Amino acid sequence: MSKSDGFTAEERAAMKERAKELKAEAKAGKLKAEGEADIMEKIGQMPSAEGKMARRLHDIITATAPTLSPKTWYGMPAYANADGKVVVFFQGASKFGARYSTLGFNDTAMLDDGQMWPTVFALVTLTAEVEKKITALVKKAVR
């Protein structure tokens, strides 16, 4: 990519998806069930192993923080608070050709810990130990 190319094709596609999401949300103030359906559709489009990870994360997040509403965000599964701001999101490795998937938290998450703390975590596999850590992070994010 040359300097003048700007965004990659994947980044442009994600921005177009976000524009569609904003239009849909503005139309009728998306219901939680619609957000759930959108996420399941996106998960269904993911490569098998990535889709399994995203589905398991969805189960963990919705069980741990039922006050968060599922929605898509830049074409990725995300979970927002009551005012619609995304708290936590999943980005599959295939989305941008990365070597690992990520679980991220926006500034609306209450993960504050001193002067510096992590907000994005690399995910390779979901083990019982990793799931326990994710559950604790989600609980802390929505406290």
Side-chain angles (χ1 to χ4, degrees), residues 64 68 86-89 103-121 133-143:
T64 304
L68 296 180
V86 171
V87 175
V88 59
F89 61 91
L103 179 69
F105 294 86
N106 282 339
D107 61 344
T108 52
M110 304 307 244
L111 297 180
D112 306 40
D113 185 18
Q115 299 302 309
M116 184 175 141
W117 56 89
T119 59
V120 179
F121 300 84
K133 288 178 182 179
I134 290 168
T135 300
L137 283 168
V138 172
K139 281 181 182 177
K140 186 175 180 181
V142 296
R143 61 185 158 129

Side-chain angles (χ1 to χ4, degrees), residues 4 7 16 21 28 30-32 61 82-83 99 120 133:
S4 64
F7 296 106
K16 286 179 183 177
E21 293 161 0
K30 274 205 157 175
L31 299 172
K32 197 169 189 171
I61 293 166
D83 66 3
R99 67 183 181 95
V120 179
K133 288 178 182 179

Side-chain angles (χ1 to χ4, degrees), residues 17-28:
E17 284 184 282
R18 184 64 185 137
K20 286 181 193 175
E21 293 161 0
L22 288 170
K23 285 180 187 176
E25 288 172 14
K27 273 188 181 176

Side-chain angles (χ1 to χ4, degrees), residues 40-51:
M40 290 300 115
E41 181 181 338
K42 290 296 179 185
I43 289 173
Q45 295 169 1
M46 293 177 180
S48 179
E50 192 174 285

